[in-house]
């Protein structure tokens, strides 16, 4: 309370503990000084013990030859010196400005940080794997170095025109690529680049602006990126910035149902939904992809509001009837009723399902509600949306008012990894069945790459009119450096160690190098079926956050960010599992 009054700084539980230690030590020193001032030994011995011998032996110029007495004198001299030094330090501390005291506390927190397991790995034993992993790190250096050279501080890079690029998804917030890439830099042990990024975040990352942002995109990229950087490095600036941004997103939940708006003005706190979204509805993949980050924000800030907001979303969903057990993509935040009955495991729906499973895993498998919602939803997806093509390719179609559209998006390809990740916890004897499903989806998504001229996958591909795993519409033929197929390869490799997943990942590396790499970075392409690439001139921030990270982990050992300690958010930002049997100290995640 005293510190809060003096500094305006409200300490967390850990900070209170540090303060208590500081003040306890100070009080001890003050009382200790009374007993150990010069000649205090003579005073104490005379008053309490009436010992002339001690008085004689401690008198200046004493001719005592007793070794024990000489040793006592040395010990007392050292104690006097130590206490005088401590008193000077305490006096110095009390003369500091409140902001300096606050910074000292933050510095002490970083000193006691325990780095989580597997934050950085070791080089693979196999020379070929080691070489491929090193190549992927070189790709990261090229992507990052180009961004730093041509677009530093902008959200993204235009690698062909060599200039900055900003999407309106982030309003006026800057540095999306910096924050998105922090954890990739760290796990690749690019520490000089990480330190430069940290310096930029400390000095330039600002959320105080009159601008509208996408709550979903800012959460998964900025909040997720800052949280991961904090858990990996222990640097307090990342915890502070994550909580600050999280607090600015809370007004999005001010709706009659508590289902958040898609867009939010960070200054006014006024929210709205995308005008094209089914009569002003909120979108399943947006309001359903806040859970992991908000649970960690509550833990790190001590503020239960974050957790309460996302748990309320579940309450709203559990009250509603689900058509065929499916979750429609649109929900009206005012009425609490579904919008049009469009269901997708790709865009608009995808990461909602991912976060149900990962909420259970991140809770150290304590979140039984999340577990049940995930496996029930997966069963409904299998029954209503999973289909096999004539040649035997498994795909996940989209559902519109009861009618299937036999189209699968690149975004949907993440589902192979998701199903593999959840297979071990599947109810009954379905673990093997779900691993087979995951492998089949991985194969289908690989085919969508293999059947193009550039060996890169289209945004969406179809299974109708005699066509299989091929894009038939011009506006679905582009590739924007997306990670979902590689993400599934990484999960499948971890769970099976089948070498084909590394082979497929290396095919993607070669295609990226041949067709997407330019002098100024990496660019998406407009048509993967064209014989030569037509670059779109955007290096997406998720290329550094996800695509390159998943490739690097695909060629790393399993103890690098191990799944029993880490869960990836939907932007591939690793968050630690909140162990049930550990202390509440946020840093100690092991």
């Amino acid at each position: 309370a005293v510190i809060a009054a003096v500094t305006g700084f409200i300490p967390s539980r850990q900070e209170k503990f540090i303060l208590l230690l500081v003040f306890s030590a100070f009080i001890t020193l003050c009382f200790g000084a009374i007993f150990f001032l010069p000649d205090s030994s003579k005073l104490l011995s005379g008053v309490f013990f009436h010992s002339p011998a001690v008085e004689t032996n401690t008198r200046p110029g004493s001719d005592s030859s007793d070794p024990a007495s000489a040793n006592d004198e040395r010990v007392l001299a050292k104690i006097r010196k130590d206490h005088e030094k401590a008193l000077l330090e305490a006096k110095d501390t009390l003369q500091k400005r409140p902001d300096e005291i606050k910074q000292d506390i933050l510095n002490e927190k970083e000193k006691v940080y325990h780095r989580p397991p597997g934050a950085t790995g070791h080089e693979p034993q196999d020379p070929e794997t080691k070489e491929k992993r090193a190549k992927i790190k070189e790709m990261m250096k090229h992507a990052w170095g180009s961004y730093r050279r041509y677009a530093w501080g902008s959200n993204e890079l235009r690698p062909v025109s060599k200039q900055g690029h900003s999407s309106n998804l982030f309003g006026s917030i800057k540095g999306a690529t910096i924050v998105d890439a922090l954890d990739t830099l760290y796990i690749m042990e690019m520490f000089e680049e990480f330190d430069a990024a940290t310096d930029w975040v400390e000095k330039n990352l600002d959320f105080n602006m009159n601008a509208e942002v996408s709550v979903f995109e800012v959460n998964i990229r900025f909040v997720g990126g800052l949280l991961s950087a904090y858990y990996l490095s222990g640097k307090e600036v990342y915890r502070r910035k994550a909580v600050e941004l999280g607090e600015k997103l809370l007004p999005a939940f001010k709706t009659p149902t508590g289902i958040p708006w898609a867009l939010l003005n960070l200054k006014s706190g006024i929210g709205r939904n995308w005008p094209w979204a089914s009569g002003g509805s909120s979108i399943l993949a947006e309001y359903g992809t806040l859970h992991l980050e908000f649970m960690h924000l509550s833990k790190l800030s001590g503020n239960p509001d974050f957790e309460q907001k996302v748990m309320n979303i579940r309450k709203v969903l559990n009250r509603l009837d689900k058509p065929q057990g499916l979750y429609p993509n649109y929900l009206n935040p005012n009425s609490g009723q579904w919008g049009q009955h469009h269901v997708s495991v790709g865009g608009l729906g995808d990461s909602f399902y991912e976060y149900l499973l990962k909420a259970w895993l991140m809770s150290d498998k304590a979140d039984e509600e999340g577990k049940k919602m995930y496996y029930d939803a997966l069963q409904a997806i299998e029954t209503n949306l999973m289909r096999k093509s004539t040649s035997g390719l498994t795909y996940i179609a989209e559902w519109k008012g009861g009618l299937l559209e036999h189209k699968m998006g690149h975004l949907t390809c993440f589902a192979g990894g998701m199903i593999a990740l959840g297979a071990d916890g599947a109810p009954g004897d379905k673990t093997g069945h779900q691993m087979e499903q995951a492998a089949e989806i991985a194969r289908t998504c690989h085919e969508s790459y293999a059947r193009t001229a550039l060996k890169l996958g289209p945004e969406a591909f179809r299974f109708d009119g005699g066509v299989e795993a091929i894009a038939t519409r011009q506006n679905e033929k582009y590739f924007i450096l997306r990670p979902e197929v590689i993400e599934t390869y990484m999960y499948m490799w971890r769970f099976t160690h089948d070498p084909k997943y590394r082979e497929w990942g290396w095919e993607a590396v070669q295609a990226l190098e041949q067709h997407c790499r330019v002098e100024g970075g990496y660019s998406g392409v407009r048509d993967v079926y064209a014989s030569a690439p037509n670059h779109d001139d955007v290096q997406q921030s998720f290329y550094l956050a996800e695509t390159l990270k998943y490739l690097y982990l695909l060629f790393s050992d399993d103890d690098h960010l191990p799944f029993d300690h880490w869960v990836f958010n939907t932007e591939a930002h690793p968050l630690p599992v909140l162990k049930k049997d550990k202390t509440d100290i946020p840093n100690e995640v092991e």
Side-chain angles (χ1 to χ4, degrees):
V2 173
I3 285 291
V6 173
T7 66
F9 171 57
I10 301 174
S12 68
R13 180 181 302 180
Q14 187 178 6
E15 287 156 355
K16 289 175 184 172
F17 178 70
I18 293 168
L19 285 171
L20 183 61
L21 285 177
V22 170
F23 282 111
S24 299
F26 179 67
I27 292 166
T28 302
L29 291 171
C30 289
F31 280 102
I34 295 171
F35 294 96
F36 295 106
L37 285 170
D39 290 330
S40 60
S41 57
K42 181 174 84 171
L43 174 67
L44 291 174
S45 61
V47 172
F48 293 105
F49 304 110
H50 305 285
S51 172
V54 173
E55 182 176 344
T56 302
N57 289 335
T58 57
R59 191 176 295 140
S62 169
D63 195 14
S64 170
S65 60
D66 182 356
S69 297
N71 187 55
D72 288 347
E73 190 67 47
R74 284 195 298 272
V75 170
L76 288 170
K78 184 179 186 307
I79 291 171
R80 285 192 208 102
K81 184 178 178 182
D82 289 346
H83 277 74
E84 285 166 7
K85 180 182 175 186
L87 282 168
L88 286 172
E89 289 176 353
K91 182 180 177 183
D92 180 57
T93 298
L94 291 175
Q95 288 176 341
K96 288 184 178 180
R97 298 194 312 273
D99 60 321
E100 290 177 320
I101 296 173
K102 177 180 173 182
Q103 188 58 49
D104 285 347
I105 292 169
L106 300 182
N107 291 340
E108 284 301 314
K109 287 185 70 177
E110 288 190 11
K111 285 180 188 175
V112 299
Y113 177 75
H114 299 287
R115 193 165 75 164
T120 54
H122 48 266
E123 290 192 334
Q125 297 270 324
D126 175 58
E128 185 182 350
T129 305
K130 178 179 174 180
E131 183 182 342
K132 290 177 177 177
R133 186 175 182 258
K135 172 59 185 173
I136 294 158
K137 181 173 178 177
E138 185 277 326
M139 293 167 72
M140 178 66 182
K141 286 184 174 179
H142 180 60
W144 175 261
S146 299
Y147 167 78
R148 190 169 182 184
R149 189 173 304 113
Y150 303 119
W152 188 244
S154 296
N155 279 319
E156 289 168 321
L157 163 69
R158 289 196 177 276
V160 177
S161 52
K162 297 179 180 176
Q163 61 186 5
H165 167 69
S166 280
S167 162
N168 60 5
L169 294 172
F170 312 118
S172 306
I173 301 177
K174 300 298 182 190
T177 292
I178 295 174
V179 177
D180 236 0
L182 284 165
D183 50 15
T184 307
L185 292 171
Y186 195 93
I187 70 167
M188 291 187 183
E189 301 183 51
M190 295 170 61
F191 295 127
E192 284 185 22
E193 294 88 343
F194 182 84
D195 289 344
T198 301
D199 186 62
W200 187 91
V201 168
E202 285 181 314
K203 294 176 180 175
N204 300 288
L205 185 60
D206 181 24
F207 311 124
N208 297 306
M209 52 197 58
N210 184 16
E212 196 173 55
V213 303
S214 162
V215 174
F216 164 75
E217 293 288 354
V218 166
N219 176 64
I220 66 170
R221 300 197 205 201
F222 282 90
V223 177
L226 292 166
L227 287 172
S228 287
Y230 170 66
Y231 282 117
L232 289 167
S233 72
K235 291 187 180 294
E236 175 64 20
V237 62
Y238 292 125
R239 186 195 71 87
R240 182 162 39 85
K241 291 282 187 183
V243 172
E244 178 191 347
L245 180 54
E247 287 170 347
K248 286 191 172 291
L249 296 179
L250 285 175
F253 293 83
K254 290 181 180 176
T255 66
T257 58
I259 298 295
W261 299 112
L263 302 167
L264 180 72
N265 184 296
L266 291 181
K267 183 176 182 181
S268 68
I270 295 172
R272 67 184 179 99
N273 277 337
W274 298 105
W276 49 263
S278 186
S281 290
S282 298
I283 295 167
L284 183 68
E286 296 196 334
Y287 68 77
T289 310
L290 303 167
H291 193 100
L292 303 186
E293 298 83 1
F294 274 48
M295 294 297 282
H296 272 283
L297 286 174
S298 269
K299 181 172 181 62
L300 291 181
S301 68
N303 181 356
D305 285 356
F306 297 107
E307 179 177 349
Q308 289 167 3
K309 298 295 187 193
V310 292
M311 293 307 291
N312 176 67
I313 291 172
R314 285 198 189 164
K315 290 178 184 175
V316 174
L317 293 175
N318 285 333
R319 286 198 295 264
L320 288 166
D321 288 330
K322 287 85 180 170
Q324 309 293 318
L326 298 166
Y327 289 83
N329 290 341
Y330 301 108
L331 177 62
N332 190 296
N334 293 310
S335 66
Q337 298 301 312
W338 299 120
Q340 64 191 76
H341 284 192
H342 176 197
V343 177
S344 169
V345 184
L348 309 182
D350 48 9
S351 46
F352 164 73
Y353 305 101
E354 174 189 359
Y355 271 38
L356 291 177
L357 170 64
K358 289 180 175 178
W360 174 57
L361 296 174
M362 196 180 79
S363 72
D364 208 11
K365 300 185 178 179
D367 183 0
E368 291 291 335
E369 180 182 56
K371 176 185 181 182
K372 183 178 189 311
M373 291 174 73
Y374 168 72
Y375 288 110
D376 287 353
L378 186 59
Q379 183 58 56
I381 289 165
E382 179 181 353
T383 302
N384 296 286
L385 305 181
M386 276 194 199
R387 295 292 183 267
K388 264 197 194 301
S389 71
T390 307
S391 70
L393 293 178
T394 296
Y395 62 96
I396 305 176
E398 301 196 357
W399 193 81
K400 296 186 175 179
L403 299 175
L404 281 185
E405 183 178 15
H406 296 272
K407 174 185 85 168
M408 184 169 177
H410 192 290
L411 289 166
T412 317
C413 285
F414 91 98
M418 176 184 74
I419 293 169
L421 180 63
D424 187 54
D429 56 354
K430 292 186 177 178
T431 295
H433 172 64
Q434 290 190 7
M435 282 305 298
E436 287 173 14
Q437 285 181 328
E440 288 175 7
I441 290 167
R443 182 166 77 95
T444 298
C445 292
H446 175 254
E447 284 298 313
S448 78
Y449 275 52
R451 298 180 186 194
T452 70
L454 302 184
K455 306 305 177 190
L456 295 165
E459 182 69 4
F461 44 93
R462 294 182 179 265
F463 296 86
D464 52 23
V467 165
E468 293 193 7
I470 292 175
T472 57
R473 303 182 185 184
Q474 193 57 43
N475 65 354
E476 295 173 350
K477 294 182 178 181
Y478 61 88
F479 172 75
I480 57 171
L481 308 172
R482 285 202 187 278
E484 291 78 21
V485 174
I486 291 161
E487 175 183 355
T488 281
Y489 295 165
M490 189 276 289
Y491 279 103
M492 293 306 297
W493 164 257
R494 282 274 182 107
F495 289 117
T496 70
H497 281 200
D498 186 328
K500 73 184 176 190
Y501 297 113
R502 280 185 166 171
E503 291 165 13
W504 293 352
W506 192 246
E507 288 172 9
V509 166
Q510 292 173 307
L512 287 165
E513 286 294 277
Q514 186 176 350
H515 304 301
C516 298
R517 184 169 181 145
V518 295
E519 184 184 357
Y522 289 86
S523 171
V525 295
R526 292 193 170 92
D527 186 348
V528 293
Y529 299 95
S531 56
N534 179 7
H535 294 119
D536 65 13
D537 198 17
V538 179
Q539 179 177 282
Q540 306 279 349
S541 79
F542 55 68
Y543 179 65
L544 292 82
E546 301 185 74
T547 310
L548 291 175
K549 183 186 288 120
Y550 285 135
L551 278 170
Y552 189 75
L553 292 173
L554 175 61
F555 290 94
S556 296
D557 291 345
D558 293 354
D559 59 0
H560 197 358
L561 295 174
F563 293 162
D564 55 344
H565 283 283
W566 296 95
V567 169
F568 294 91
N569 90 335
T570 199
E571 191 78 2
H573 295 309
L575 299 171
V577 171
L578 299 171
K579 298 292 186 180
K580 288 178 291 194
D581 55 343
K582 298 298 180 184
T583 68
D584 282 333
I585 298 175
N587 293 323
E588 295 186 350
V589 296
E590 287 192 58

